[in-house]
Structures are given as C-alpha cells and as structure tokens.
C-alpha cells in the first residue's frame, strides 16, 4: 500500500505571508536609514538614492558651514569652551576653521559646476533626441485615437437633448463647438459654422430638450428660487428670534441679579421700620404738636397700589416666582407700615420714622419703575416671539412642501438625464478624440525640447488626465490612456526638474561670492578681534553674523527649496527616463546637490552616543540590582517555611500587576524630596531614574523562585552535613546552578529598561541626561519635517548594546528558558 504524501502548499504560503508581515517593519527601518529621500514621501520600499550620511551624522557629525561659523563666533567671543584657551591657540584654531570654510565654498562651487555640466549634457541629449521623443509620443497618441470608437448619433430627441446639454454652456467657435460641428449640422440641418447658424441650431436643440424635459426644468428652477427665498426668510426670522431670546435672557439676569436683590434689601429696611414702629408704640415721650402723616400714608398707599399692578401684570409670567414672592412680601411690609398709625401721631419719634421712610422711598420708586419697564419689555418680546414662532412654523411647513416638490422634480430630471447618458458619453468621446487630434497637430510643430515645447507636452498630459478623471468606467480605453500617461510622466517630471534647476544656480553663485568677500574680511580682522577679546572685551563679529544670516536665511530662502526639489526630481527621473544614457548624469546631479545641501544645512545638535551610554549605564545598574535583590529574596520563599510565605509572594505579584506609571506622581514627589538632601538621587538625574526603575521586583522574584524549586534540596543538605552554613550553600551551590535563570532575568530587565520611555520622559529634563529611547524623540521631530532617515539610523545603531549583550548571553538564555538544574 502506497502512502500518499500530503501537500503543504497552503501552509507554506501562509508562513511566507506571516514572515513577510513580520519582517516588513525591519526592512522598512533598514531601507529608510539608507535612503537619501524621505520614506514618508515615497511609495517605494526600495530606492536607488542611497546614502550613509545618516550614520555619519550620528557616529561622527560633520562640522559643516553653519557649525563652523557658530564655532568661529564662539572663538572670537571667547565663550565656553574657548574661554581658557590662549591667544595663540585661538589664532591657530580660527585659521584652520577659516581654511575649512574656504574649502567648503570651493567644494560647493566645484559640485555646482559638476551638476551644471551634467544638466547641460542632459539638455543637449534631449534636444538631439527631441524628434525621437516627439515621434514616440505622437505614435502613442495616434494609436490611442485609432482605438477610440465613436458611434454616430441618431436623429432621436435624446441625441438632440444630449447635444444641447453639452453645447449650451459653450460659446461659439469653442473647442467643443468645433469638435461637434458636424453632429450639430447633421441633427439640426443648420450650418453652424457662423454665429447666427450656431445660435439657430442651439435653439432647435433647446426645443427638443424642453420637449423631453416636459417643463420640469422650469419647475425645478422656479421651485428652487421659492425654496431659497423661504430659507432666507427662515434664517432672518431665526436671527430675530435668537436676538429676542438673548434680550429676554438679559432681562432675566437683570431681574435675578439686580432687581430681586434690591427689592429684598428694601423689604429688609421696611421690616426694620415696622420693628421701629412697634418700639415707638411703647415709648412715652410725646410731641407738642401731632405729626401730619397724610402725605406719608398716601405715598405708602401709592407704592402698595403700584406693587398690586405689577403683581397683576405677572399673572401671565409664571416663571418669575422669586420676583413675585419679593414683591408680595414687600407689599406686606408696606401694608403693615400704614396700619394703626393714629396713636403714633403724638409720639415724638414718629416723625423720625417718616423721615427714614422718605430716605427709602426714592429707591423704592426707582426699583419699582425699573421692574415695571423690564416686565413690560419682556411681555412685548414674548408677544413678538409668539408671532415669530407661528411664522416660522408656517415657513417650515412651506419649506418641507417645496423640498418634497424639488426632490420630485429632481428625480424626474435625473430619470431624463439617465436617458441622455449614453449620447453624452458618445459626445465626450468625440470631443476627447478631437482634443487628441489637435494635440498631435500641436506636437508635430515641436522642433526641440525647450521650455515652450515642454509646455505643449504638459498640455497633452493635462488633456489626458482631465478625461481620465471624468471617464465613467475602468475599461480597455482607460487602460490605454493610463499607459500613455505613464509613458509621458517622465516629461512632466523633467519639466519640473529643469524649471527648478534653472532657478537656484545663479542665486547660489551670488551667495558664494558674498561668502568669499565676508571670509576675506574675516581673515584680515580676526587677529585684532582676538586681541580685543584677550583684554577682557566682549567681541561679537558682525562679519560672522552676516555669514550666518547668509547660511541660515539667504541660502534657505533662495536656494535650498528649489535645489531639494531638483535633487528629488533627478532621483525620480533615474527610474522614469527612457534613455539609459541620461541616468549617469541624473545620478551625478542628485549626488552633487545632496552633498551641497549637507554642507550648508543647519543640522540638529544631538548627543547620540551620550544618550546610548546613559541607557547602558542605567540599564546595567538596574539589571544588576534587580537580579541581585530578586536572587536573594526568592531563596526564602523557595527553601524556608514561615508565616505568610504562601500568600506573601502572591500579594507582591498582585501589586506588580498595576502599571508603574500610575505611581509616577508619588515617585516624582519622593525623588523631588530626596533630591534636596541626596542630590544624585533627585529629579533630572540618572540616579533618580535608576531608583524609579527598581520596581519590577515581584515578577522576577517569582520567576527565580520557580527555578530554585527545581534544584534538589539534597545538594544543600549534603553541603550542610559537610559543614557549610545556609548562606554558603546558597552562594556556592544555588547561585552557580541558577546562573541560566539569573542571566535571563538580567537580560530581560536590561532590555526593558533600555527601551523604556514614559518614566524617563517624566523624570529627565536636561538633554544631556536623556536615555537612548528618550533621545530618539529628537530625531522623530525635526525643525521642518520628521527626519525618518536619521530616526531609523539612530534606532539601528542604538540596538547595538542590546544585540551584543544578547549574543554574548545567548547560551545562558536558551538554557534558562528551557531547563532547570539536575533532577533527583
């Protein structure tokens, strides 16, 4: 019996896909670190524009022009680190820096000349082959024209209506008119070569269209105008409605914040008067002449009547309960004040009570008047609001009705236009075919490959792309057009490349000339400047300031943008241009312009190796302390018996389940406090960061404890019988046997600490104290854009310590994860 071998094709395909997905980020990081262009702006994973510049910037940063100019200014001013140098040392250093600046200017000039020579050769080559390029494009366009099949229009109303829709927006003798002139004559029987004939033919077509549309166009237009008018009125009324609501809200605030509190204060004053009135009744001092209180009582009566009127007005305003209550209590106080005054007329103090009331009365009159005006205003506005609300309801009903009608008319028009869709497509193809024929005629007049000719090619490309964007399906014709567009894309890229390359060389040459003149002035004056600074005078060179402005501002604004675009276009053309003879010159232009940019570019200052060193130091110390503490702490849980042994380690593990970040406020406060007394364990110190990282104890202790459990106790018992102490058996027997798991813990803690970001971001502030993970952020955010090349190169270089440690401890790592010690 034969055994049939099962195929594993699907398994292999699945594994290949999984491996590709897993390796894609790694491949992207590696390729991006070597790319001259930014990966974020390219759809290609691999590029022909490769460079090691990112690694050079990290390993041994170049002292380019911006750095040298700033360094020269520091030397002249004698600031750190040059404040301790002698004058002779500074003169030698300045002289060397000036020579280096001069060499950079010469290098820039030579590289620009090399790029210009390559550009001239490219121009000459393309001009020599302009006929070949032209014939190739014309041939492709002719093939495209021959592939376009345009059926003839019939004499139906649909064809005439479609022709009207296309031509109604076109003026006489336009491109579309000339393309469809024969169809226009055929369907209408009118010679449309004259303006009068064209207008007459359109009138005939309009009749056919109106017949087909059955008046829906006019109804649609009329209904749309009515709907727009209704919506405008709704918006206007809504604005008025909102303004009235705002006014009412403002009046409510006046009542709540001003009127009601003032009424309460007056009520309190009147309440005090009533208390005074009761006390006067108990007095015995009398007046020689009875007090005339008629005016007083009349005024109190008038105030009471005014409040009654206000309360009557508020019957329709149910929401002002606080105001109503204040007015009612005020009325009560006034009524109480006017009752039983006959026996008081002979009292001496009664006249004083009346005088006090007269002091209060103007406030009462004013506040009651303000209350009346405010309530009247609110009532008037409420009436207007009700009217507006009713009108808005009517308008919304009208809007709904008109919208339904409009939708109905639009649906009818849409159904009519669907019937015209096929004739319109035929007409679009005819117009496109006519455009292509005109484009061919235009290209036949091309004699070279200059700027004017490039504009003609761009016009052809625009025609093709416009039609592609409006084309209705992805069929064979669409594929043919796409192929022609792809074939002509290099011409468009070359046009952009040539226009940018024509712009910046003259600007760069003028900048080089100005830099040379400034450098010459500096050579003549730097010794005098150094002598002055040696005498304690602070010196700042205006020449160097001007040179730095040229590098930082003039070069960036006048040269760098166009030069970068030209360099990038040269890289793209290397892959697109159909002539292999040009690729060498394009590569040379890209290389020379990239190098010029590196010479003049203001680069981000970083301390990459210091960051890596900080991470290595912190990770090694944390890993060593954690491993040591865990190794010692795990031993009692494995070998000894004590109260809480079983649940103690579980409690520690439970605490470990909470992420350490949630304790960061407490840790930050603790480090801030400790830093006052122990400076090297505080905020913004590596010691403080190490202290914050010593939290991952329980998990590693549990891991080591599990490994200890696999080591036979008989080994320790034999050692103790031979005279060893418990501690000696621990570090002479258990520790050597547990080396694999201790290595695993050490390595895992090292890797976790090395890559940690959040805690370091909170504790560290000084850029020189940054760890590797924190320092990568500086590369992720450049001054103008994300520097992906530098970021990925830093990520790869920063992996070196972990890779070295991992490879050196790999033997212990494998054994620690796969086996324990000798079993009994």
């Amino acid at each position: 019996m034969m055994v049939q071998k099962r195929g594993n094709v699907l398994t292999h395909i699945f594994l290949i896909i999984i491996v590709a997905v897993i390796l894609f980020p790694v491949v992207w990081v590696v390729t991006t670190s070597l790319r001259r262009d930014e990966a974020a702006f390219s759809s290609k994973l691999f590029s022909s524009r490769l460079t090691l510049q990112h690694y050079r910037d990290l390993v041994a940063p170049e002292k380019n022009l911006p750095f040298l100019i700033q360094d020269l200014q520091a030397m002249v001013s004698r600031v750190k680190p040059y404040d301790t140098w002698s004058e002779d040392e500074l003169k030698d250093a300045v002289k060397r820096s000036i020579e280096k600046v001069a060499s950079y200017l010469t290098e820039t000039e030579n590289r620009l000349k090399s790029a210009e020579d390559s550009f001239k050769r490219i121009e000459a080559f393309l001009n020599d082959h302009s006929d070949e390029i032209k014939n190739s494009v014309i041939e492709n366009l002719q093939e495209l024209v021959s592939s376009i099949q345009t059926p003839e229009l019939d004499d139906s109303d649909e064809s005439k209506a479609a022709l009207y829709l296309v031509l109604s927006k076109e003026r006489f003798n336009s491109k579309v008119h000339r393309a469809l002139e024969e169809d226009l004559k055929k369907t209408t029987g009118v010679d449309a070569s004259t303006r009068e004939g064209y207008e007459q033919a359109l009138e005939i077509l309009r009749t056919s269209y109106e017949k087909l549309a059955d008046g829906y166009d006019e109804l649609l237009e009329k209904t749309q105008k009515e709907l727009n008018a209704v919506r405008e009125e709704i918006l206007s009324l809504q604005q008025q409605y909102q303004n009235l609501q705002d006014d009412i809200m403002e009046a409510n605030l006046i009542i709540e914040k001003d009127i009601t509190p003032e009424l309460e204060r007056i009520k309190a004053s009147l309440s005090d008067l009533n208390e005074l009135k009761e006390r006067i009744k108990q007095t015995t001092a009398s007046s020689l002449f009875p007090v005339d209180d008629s005016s007083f009582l009349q005024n109190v009566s008038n105030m009471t009547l005014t409040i009654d009127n206000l309360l009557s007005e508020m019957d329709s305003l149910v929401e002002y309960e606080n105001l109503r209550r204040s007015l009612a209590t005020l009325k009560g106080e006034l009524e109480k004040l006017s009752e039983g005054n006959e026996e008081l007329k002979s009292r001496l103090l009664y006249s004083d009570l009346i005088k006090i009331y007269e002091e209060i009365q103007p406030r009462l009159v004013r506040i009651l008047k303000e209350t009346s005006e405010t309530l009247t205003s609110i009532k008037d506005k409420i009436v207007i609001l009700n009217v507006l609300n009713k009108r808005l309801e009517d308008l919304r009903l009208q809007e709904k009705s008109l919208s339904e009608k409009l939708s109905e008319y639009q649906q009818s028009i849409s159904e009519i236009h669907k019937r015209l869709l096929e004739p319109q497509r035929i007409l679009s193809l005819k117009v496109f075919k006519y455009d292509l024929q005109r484009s061919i005629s235009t290209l036949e007049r091309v004699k070279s490959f200059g700027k004017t000719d490039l504009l003609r090619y761009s016009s052809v490309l625009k025609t093709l792309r416009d039609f592609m964007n409006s084309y209705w399906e992805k069929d064979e014709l669409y594929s043919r057009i796409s192929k022609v567009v792809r074939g002509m894309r290099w011409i468009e890229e070359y046009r952009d490349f040539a226009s940018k390359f024509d712009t910046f060389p003259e600007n760069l040459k003028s900048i080089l000339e100005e830099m040379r003149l400034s450098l010459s002035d500096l050579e003549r004056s730097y010794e005098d400047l150094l002598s002055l600074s040696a005498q304690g005078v602070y010196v700042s060179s205006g020449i160097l300031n001007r040179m730095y402005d040229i590098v930082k501002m003039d070069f960036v604004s006048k040269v760098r943008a166009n030069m970068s675009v030209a360099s990038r276009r040269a890289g793209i053309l290397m892959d697109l241009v159909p002539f292999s003879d040009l690729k060498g010159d394009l590569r040379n232009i890209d290389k020379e312009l990239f190098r010029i940019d590196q010479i003049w570019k203001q680069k981000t200052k970083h301390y990459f190796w210091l960051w890596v060193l900080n991470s290595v130091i912190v990770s090694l110390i944390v890993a060593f302390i954690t491993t040591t503490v865990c190794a010692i702490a795990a031993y009692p849980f494995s070998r000894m018996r004590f109260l809480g042994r079983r649940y103690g380690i579980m409690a520690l593990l439970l605490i470990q389940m909470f992420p350490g970040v949630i304790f960061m406020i407490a840790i930050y406060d603790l480090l801030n406090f400790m830093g006052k007394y122990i400076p090297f364990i505080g905020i913004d110190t590596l010691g403080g960061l190490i202290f914050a990282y010593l939290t991952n104890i329980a998990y590693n202790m549990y891991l080591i404890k599990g490994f200890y459990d696999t080591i036979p106790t008989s080994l320790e018992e034999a050692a103790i019988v031979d005279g060893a102490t418990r501690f000696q058996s621990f570090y002479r027997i258990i520790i050597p046997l547990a080396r694999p798991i201790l290595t695993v813990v050490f390595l895992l803690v090292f890797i976790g600490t090395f890559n940690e970001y959040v805690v370091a971001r909170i504790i560290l502030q000084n850029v020189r104290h940054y760890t590797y993970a924190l320092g990568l952020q500086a590369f992720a955010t450049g001054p103008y854009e994300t520097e992906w090349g530098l970021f990925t190169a830093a990520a790869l270089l920063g992996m070196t310590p972990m890779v070295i440690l991992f490879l050196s401890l790999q033997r212990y790592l494998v054994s620690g994860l796969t086996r324990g010690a000798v079993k009994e």
Side-chain angles (χ1 to χ4, degrees):
M1 180 178 177
M2 295 182 63
V3 179
Q4 185 176 3
K5 186 176 180 180
R6 296 179 60 187
N8 294 320
V9 177
L10 293 178
T11 302
H12 291 161
I13 293 174
F14 177 75
L15 289 175
I16 290 171
I17 293 173
I18 293 297
V19 170
V21 170
I22 293 173
L23 291 181
F24 175 78
V26 179
V27 174
W28 182 86
V29 169
V30 174
T31 57
T32 302
S33 69
L34 297 171
R35 292 172 74 120
R36 193 173 295 166
D37 55 346
E38 295 293 352
F41 300 102
S42 176
S43 59
K44 297 187 300 182
L45 183 60
F46 299 98
S47 172
S48 58
R49 304 176 64 206
L50 303 178
T51 181
L52 293 174
Q53 185 64 45
H54 303 310
Y55 292 96
R56 293 194 195 102
D57 289 340
L58 293 171
V59 176
E62 181 184 21
K63 296 181 179 180
N64 61 357
L65 274 177
F67 181 90
L68 286 173
I69 294 171
Q70 289 176 305
D71 203 41
L72 280 167
Q73 188 69 273
M75 292 179 193
V76 169
S77 302
R78 282 183 177 270
V79 297
K80 288 183 179 182
Y82 303 111
D83 53 340
T84 59
W85 287 30
S86 68
E87 188 174 345
D88 291 336
E89 289 176 329
L90 283 173
K91 285 181 180 180
D92 292 339
V94 170
K95 185 177 180 181
R96 288 194 300 270
S97 296
I98 289 175
E99 291 174 353
K100 186 64 176 176
V101 171
S103 69
Y104 275 140
L105 297 179
T106 302
E107 182 182 356
T108 301
E109 190 173 14
N110 293 336
R111 290 185 178 275
L112 178 61
K113 186 176 183 304
S114 174
E116 287 183 308
D117 291 342
S118 294
F119 180 71
K120 289 176 182 177
R121 287 194 294 271
I122 292 172
E123 276 190 320
F125 182 91
L126 292 176
N127 280 318
D128 292 341
H129 293 76
S130 61
D131 289 340
E132 181 182 344
I133 297 169
K134 177 182 70 175
N135 294 333
S136 175
V137 173
I138 289 176
E139 182 180 351
N140 292 332
L141 292 177
Q142 287 174 338
E143 290 179 2
L144 186 58
V145 169
S146 61
S147 67
I148 298 175
Q149 302 298 326
T150 54
E152 294 296 327
L153 288 175
D154 54 26
D155 199 27
S156 63
D157 289 335
E158 285 82 359
S159 298
K160 293 179 180 178
L163 194 56
Y164 173 75
L165 286 177
V166 173
L167 289 172
S168 60
K169 301 175 183 178
E170 300 293 333
R171 65 181 187 278
F172 172 73
N173 208 31
S174 65
K175 175 186 68 176
V176 177
H177 167 220
R178 293 195 298 272
L180 301 177
E181 187 174 346
E182 291 298 325
D183 295 284
L184 188 59
K185 182 177 180 181
K186 179 181 176 182
T187 54
T188 63
V190 177
D191 184 8
S193 59
T194 63
R195 185 179 299 276
E196 293 77 10
Y198 179 68
E199 293 175 354
Q200 183 181 354
L202 281 181
E203 186 63 27
I204 295 173
L205 295 176
R206 188 173 68 84
T207 303
S208 299
Y209 176 76
E210 289 176 351
K211 177 182 177 182
L212 193 66
D214 197 19
Y216 283 117
D217 270 355
E218 294 179 1
L219 290 172
L220 182 66
E221 184 179 358
K222 179 182 176 183
T223 306
Q224 185 67 62
K225 288 181 179 179
E226 292 177 358
L227 183 59
N228 291 340
V230 169
R231 286 174 175 170
E232 287 179 5
E233 187 176 355
I234 288 175
L235 287 175
S236 176
L237 292 179
Q238 284 177 338
Q239 185 62 46
Q240 296 179 40
Y241 194 91
Q242 183 63 44
N243 292 338
L244 288 171
Q245 284 186 324
D246 292 342
D247 292 342
I248 291 175
M249 288 183 64
E250 185 178 352
N252 290 340
L253 285 174
I254 291 173
I255 291 174
E256 181 181 352
K257 302 296 183 182
D258 296 334
I259 295 176
T260 304
E262 181 65 14
L263 288 172
E264 290 293 328
R265 286 191 289 270
I266 294 175
K267 183 198 73 174
S269 299
L270 293 177
S271 177
D272 292 340
L273 273 183
N274 282 315
E275 291 179 4
L276 176 61
K277 176 182 173 183
E278 294 300 322
R279 286 195 294 271
I280 291 174
K281 289 180 180 180
Q282 301 172 5
T283 62
T284 57
S286 60
S287 174
L288 295 176
F289 301 99
V291 177
D292 183 8
D293 62 352
S294 58
S295 176
F296 161 69
L297 294 176
Q298 182 64 40
N299 188 273
V300 171
S301 176
N302 291 338
M303 293 298 103
T304 305
L305 183 61
T306 301
I307 294 175
D308 276 334
N309 294 333
L310 287 175
L311 290 172
S312 299
E313 288 181 17
M314 292 182 65
D315 289 341
S316 59
L317 303 174
V318 296
E319 62 270 22
Y320 298 102
E321 187 61 34
N322 289 336
L323 178 61
R324 185 191 306 275
R325 191 182 306 112
S326 296
L327 288 171
T329 54
L330 182 62
K331 176 187 173 185
E333 294 294 337
L334 287 170
E335 290 175 344
K336 189 187 297 184
L337 190 63
S338 64
E339 293 174 354
N341 293 345
E342 286 299 325
E343 59 180 297
L344 297 177
K345 290 182 179 181
S346 60
R347 295 291 194 273
L348 183 62
L349 295 178
Y350 186 49
S351 60
D352 293 336
L353 184 145
I354 294 174
K355 288 178 182 179
I356 294 172
Y357 175 78
E358 289 173 352
E359 293 291 332
I360 298 173
Q361 189 259 344
R363 290 169 53 200
L364 182 59
V365 171
R366 179 187 59 79
I367 198 64
L368 291 179
K369 180 181 179 183
E370 185 177 351
T371 304
S372 177
E373 291 174 352
T374 304
L375 292 175
T376 302
S377 174
I378 290 174
K379 291 179 69 175
D380 292 343
K381 288 180 172 59
I382 289 175
V383 171
I384 299 173
L385 277 178
N386 292 333
V387 173
L388 288 179
N389 197 38
K390 182 66 173 65
R391 178 58 180 163
L392 281 171
E393 289 178 1
D394 294 341
L395 287 173
R396 287 193 178 100
L397 291 175
Q398 189 175 351
E399 180 189 23
K400 182 179 178 181
S401 175
L402 289 172
S403 297
E404 291 174 354
K405 286 184 180 180
L406 188 68
S407 178
E408 180 183 344
Y409 297 152
Q410 287 174 339
Q411 181 65 28
S412 301
I413 292 294
S414 177
E415 291 176 0
I416 293 170
H417 283 184
K418 284 181 182 178
R419 294 165 58 187
L420 306 180
L421 197 58
E422 188 58 34
Q424 284 180 306
R425 290 178 178 177
I426 295 173
L427 294 173
S428 296
L429 284 174
K430 289 190 173 187
V431 173
F432 177 59
K433 190 172 183 179
Y434 177 79
D435 279 342
L436 290 179
Q437 291 169 341
R438 288 178 66 246
S439 298
I440 292 172
S441 301
T442 301
L443 292 179
E444 286 175 346
R445 296 194 295 271
V446 170
K447 301 298 182 183
S448 63
F449 208 68
K451 292 181 180 179
T452 305
D453 305 307
L454 289 172
L455 285 173
R456 290 171 177 168
Y457 284 110
S458 294
S459 176
V460 174
L461 269 171
K462 184 178 183 304
T463 299
L464 294 171
R465 283 178 174 151
D466 288 345
F467 183 76
M468 285 178 65
N469 293 332
S470 62
Y471 196 58
W472 43 90
E473 58 182 312
K474 303 291 179 67
D475 55 6
E476 185 180 353
L477 177 60
Y478 186 89
S479 300
R480 289 175 180 271
I481 299 172
S482 299
K483 183 179 178 182
V484 175
V485 170
R486 288 195 301 271
M488 294 181 65
R489 184 189 162 198
W490 75 271
I491 300 176
E492 186 177 42
E493 294 290 346
Y494 175 78
R495 176 172 172 263
D496 291 342
F497 163 71
S499 65
K500 298 300 181 184
F501 199 95
D502 284 341
T503 305
F504 75 85
E506 292 303 320
N507 292 334
L508 182 55
K509 289 175 183 177
S510 65
I511 287 174
L512 285 171
E513 182 63 26
E514 191 171 356
M515 284 288 287
R516 289 189 185 279
L517 292 174
S518 298
L519 192 62
S520 177
D521 292 339
L522 181 64
E523 284 183 295
R524 290 192 293 268
S525 62
Y526 78 88
E527 291 185 356
D528 295 331
L529 295 174
L530 290 175
S531 297
L532 284 172
S533 63
Q535 298 172 17
V537 179
Y538 178 76
V539 176
S540 178
S541 173
I543 299 171
L544 287 171
N545 289 335
R546 176 54 189 152
M547 291 175 69
Y548 188 72
D549 288 342
I550 292 172
V551 173
K552 187 69 176 176
M553 300 174 63
D554 293 359
F555 178 81
V556 172
S557 62
K558 297 179 181 179
V559 175
R560 191 181 179 202
N562 290 327
M563 187 178 71
S564 297
V565 173
S567 177
R568 187 174 297 171
R569 290 288 184 270
I572 295 173
L573 283 170
M574 279 190 280
D575 299 326
L576 295 179
V577 72
F579 303 104
S580 58
D581 296 340
L582 299 180
K583 294 186 178 181
D585 285 318
L586 289 169
R587 185 174 291 106
N588 182 60
I589 290 174
D590 184 28
K591 180 187 71 174
E592 302 292 10
L593 298 186
F594 179 77
R595 176 55 188 161
I596 292 173
D597 184 63
Q598 291 300 310
I599 292 173
W600 291 74
K601 182 180 181 181
Q602 178 76 57
K603 298 185 180 181
T604 305
K605 186 177 181 180
H606 60 79
Y607 305 92
F608 176 71
W609 289 119
L610 180 60
W611 296 338
V612 174
L613 179 62
N614 289 341
S615 284
V616 170
I617 292 173
V618 170
S619 300
L620 285 175
I621 294 176
V622 171
F624 178 78
I625 294 176
T626 301
T627 306
T628 302
V629 171
C630 290
I632 296 173
Y635 185 75
F637 285 99
S638 176
R639 291 292 191 264
M640 299 179 182
R641 300 294 181 266
F642 52 87
L643 184 64
R645 169 182 173 274
R646 180 177 180 184
Y647 298 105
I649 196 168
M650 292 301 175
L652 292 174
L653 280 175
L654 181 62
I655 296 173
Q656 190 74 64
M657 294 300 105
F658 295 96
V661 178
I662 67 174
F663 308 117
M664 274 314 301
I665 295 178
I667 294 174
Y668 186 91
D669 289 339
L670 179 61
L671 291 178
N672 192 29
F673 174 77
M674 294 173 61
K676 298 176 182 178
Y677 305 99
I678 311 175
F680 67 88
I681 305 181
I683 299 298
D684 196 24
T685 63
L686 294 183
L689 184 62
I690 291 170
F691 182 84
Y693 282 152
L694 296 177
T695 57
N696 193 20
I697 301 295
Y699 172 76
N700 294 310
M701 185 172 66
Y702 188 77
L703 194 64
I704 296 174
K705 184 258 182 191
F707 195 92
Y708 284 170
D709 290 343
T710 64
I711 301 175
T713 57
S714 58
L715 297 177
E716 293 176 85
E717 292 170 355
I720 292 173
V721 169
D722 289 341
T725 64
R726 172 69 75 174
F727 184 73
Q728 287 175 328
S729 66
F730 169 67
Y731 78 83
R732 289 184 179 276
I733 296 175
I734 300 299
I735 292 298
L737 291 175
R739 186 180 299 169
I741 192 62
L742 297 180
T743 303
V744 170
V745 170
F746 183 90
L747 188 59
L748 293 179
V749 174
F750 181 91
I751 293 174
T753 305
F754 195 88
N755 291 321
E756 201 283 327
Y757 173 81
V758 176
V759 175
R761 186 72 185 89
I762 295 172
I763 292 177
L764 300 180
Q765 299 165 5
N766 190 333
V767 69
R768 297 181 69 90
H769 294 163
Y770 279 5
T771 58
Y772 157 72
L774 191 56
L776 282 181
Q777 184 188 22
F779 301 120
T781 53
Y784 304 107
E785 60 185 17
T786 301
E787 298 178 345
W788 290 111
L790 206 58
F791 176 81
T792 51
L796 290 173
L797 286 177
M799 291 170 53
T800 306
M802 286 191 295
V803 172
I804 293 173
L805 185 65
F806 184 85
L807 293 178
S808 61
L809 300 178
Q810 184 181 13
R811 176 166 56 92
Y812 300 104
L813 179 65
V814 173
S815 61
L817 292 173
T818 56
R819 64 180 178 84
V822 179
K823 301 289 191 299
E824 283 187 302

